[in-house]
Each structure stands twice: as C-alpha cells, then as structure tokens.
Amino acid sequence: MNNILNFDIQNHKPLREMVYEELKMQILTGAIVPGTRMMEVELANQIGVSRTPVREAIRKLEKEGLVIIEPRKGAYASQISTKDMVEILEVRQNMEGLAAYFAASRMQPSQLEDLKNISAKYNTAVSEGNMEDMIQYDTRFHRIIVESCNNKILVQMIEQLQELVLRFRYIYYDDFKRAENMPEEHRIILEAIESGDANAAREAADIHINRLKELVISENVQPKHIE
C-alpha cells in the first residue's frame, strides 16, 4: 500500500504533526467514519509511519473532541449528534449574520468580484452534482464574507467553528441533497451585500443558516460513510 503522507524534503513539519493533520482531515471529511475504532497498527501501516506519531496524534485529537478514548476499549472517532449540529448552527447563525451585516458596508470591490465568481462556481457544482466542489465553494463563499467584515475578533471566533462545520457539511450534503436550495439563498445574500443593505444582508444570512438548522432537526440526520 502506498503511503498517504507525502514526505517531501521541503516539508519541515515534524512527523507527528503531519500524521496528526492527516488523521484530523480524514475525520473531518468522513473518510474515517464517526464511531470507527482508531487502531494504531492499522493506521500506522496505512500512513506509512511507526505507531508512536499515530499514538501522539490520537491523544491530540482527543483533546479537540474528534476522538474518544475509552479505558480498556481503545480510541474511536467521535460521533456527531443532531444536538451537536444544532448548537454549532445556533452560534454560526448569529456570527455569520453579523459578518454579513458588516460586509454590506465594508466589502471591497475585489472581494465582491471574488464572491460573485465563487457563487457561480458553486452553482455549476450543484448542477453537476459534484459534492467535493459544492463543499469547497460553499465554504469559500462564506469565508469571503467573513474576511471582508474587517473585524478580527469576529473572524477569529468564526474560524473556530470552521472545522466543526466542515465535518458535518460532508454529512448534510450527502443526506439531504440540501444543495438544491442553496444557490438561491446565496444569491439573496450576495445581492443584499452588493446593494449595501446591511439589514437585508444580515436577515438573508440568518434565514440561510436557520433553514439548515431546521432541516437538521426535522431530518434528525445521522452520520454515514462518505464515498
């Protein structure tokens, strides 16, 4: 089996950090399914390293809540519950609404053009049913708005949610076919920002996240393997 990690001579990161980042991304993207046993030997063979950096990575992931270690049972990728999703979305709804509010008056012309381009690429991904591109451009769409709000405290707070949001993006896109409604919701947010209507931008962002939250609750989504 080929090693997953690219041990490029230009990569100066410690091996344990590279292993940690690899396992973390596998968990975030669903390659390692919630509830999966984290077997040190198997993971070490898969990545092409010894057990030590894998063990260190698992301990670090436990501190971040991505891995659960049970005495005498071993380590498992943590589950994602509907309650977890709703709590994250409740916080995200308020923060991103505020970011959109600021963006309506603070977004630079170049950022607005980027937002339009990303929105168009997202729409293409939806029409083609390309989940990876949908997730990439959806994430970027919201990130541009956050970056343009020119409030470093708000940016830092929203960034703390990004990895958690990424983890269940892979779940809700696959389970609900949610993407069909999102181009229109993105369009409303974009047009409000472009027109400089801060209140409308905030309301559109609020509705956008709230609809997802309601969908999570009504569908009672459960994690499953992402192909």
Side-chain angles (χ1 to χ4, degrees):
M1 179 181 294
N2 293 330
N3 295 348
I4 290 178
L5 294 186
N6 178 19
F7 297 105
D8 194 302
I9 59 173
Q10 301 300 319
N11 194 329
H12 301 296
K13 292 182 179 179
L15 180 60
R16 63 178 181 277
E17 188 67 20
M18 293 171 64
V19 173
Y20 157 75
E21 290 179 358
E22 172 62 29
L23 292 179
K24 183 172 187 175
M25 187 53 60
Q26 287 194 38
I27 292 173
L28 291 175
T29 60
I32 294 178
V33 182
T36 299
R37 178 87 178 272
M38 304 286 287
M39 304 289 289
E40 290 181 11
V41 174
E42 291 182 7
L43 290 170
N45 291 337
Q46 178 188 20
I47 297 173
V49 297
S50 69
R51 293 177 61 180
T52 299
V54 172
R55 185 180 304 113
E56 292 173 347
I58 288 174
R59 288 173 179 167
K60 189 172 181 179
L61 291 166
E62 181 193 21
K63 293 179 180 179
E64 297 182 4
L66 293 176
V67 167
I68 301 296
I69 298 178
E70 298 183 4
R72 297 180 297 279
K73 291 186 178 180
Y76 299 83
S78 64
Q79 296 284 353
I80 310 173
S81 68
T82 297
K83 184 175 182 294
D84 293 333
M85 291 189 187
V86 170
E87 288 181 352
I88 291 167
L89 289 169
E90 284 176 343
V91 177
R92 184 182 167 203
Q93 182 177 352
N94 286 282
M95 287 188 179
E96 294 209 15
L98 183 58
Y101 179 91
F102 287 143
S105 61
R106 300 177 183 178
M107 183 173 284
Q108 299 299 310
S110 60
Q111 292 173 316
L112 181 60
E113 285 305 307
D114 286 344
L115 192 64
K116 290 178 178 179
N117 290 335
I118 291 299
S119 181
K121 290 179 179 179
Y122 177 82
N123 294 347
T124 298
V126 171
S127 65
E128 295 175 350
N130 186 326
M131 190 184 75
E132 288 292 336
D133 281 355
M134 285 184 231
I135 293 171
Q136 176 185 344
Y137 295 127
D138 182 24
T139 301
R140 184 59 188 151
F141 180 89
H142 290 282
R143 186 162 289 157
I144 291 171
I145 294 173
V146 172
E147 290 170 351
S148 73
C149 74
N150 197 26
N151 183 307
K152 64 180 181 182
I153 301 301
L154 184 58
V155 170
Q156 289 171 0
M157 293 176 71
I158 292 177
E159 283 180 348
Q160 291 177 7
L161 294 174
Q162 288 304 311
E163 289 180 347
L164 296 173
V165 171
L166 174 64
R167 193 178 185 200
F168 71 75
R169 261 199 178 100
Y170 277 81
I171 297 169
Y172 70 69
Y173 264 114
D174 191 61
D175 281 18
F176 314 151
K177 310 306 179 188
R178 153 100 181 135
E180 295 175 1
N181 300 322
M182 291 181 71
E184 176 64 12
E185 293 173 18
H186 282 182
R187 181 190 65 78
I188 296 171
I189 296 171
L190 194 159
E191 289 183 355
I193 291 174
E194 185 175 18
S195 67
D197 191 333
N199 288 321
R202 185 172 194 163
E203 182 180 5
D206 184 276
I207 290 171
H208 177 58
I209 305 299
N210 191 60
R211 285 179 178 168
L212 176 56
K213 183 177 67 177
E214 291 176 348
L215 194 57
V216 167
I217 294 170
S218 64
E219 294 286 340
N220 191 27
V221 63
Q222 296 299 321
K224 71 184 207 179
H225 181 62
I226 305 301
E227 296 294 345

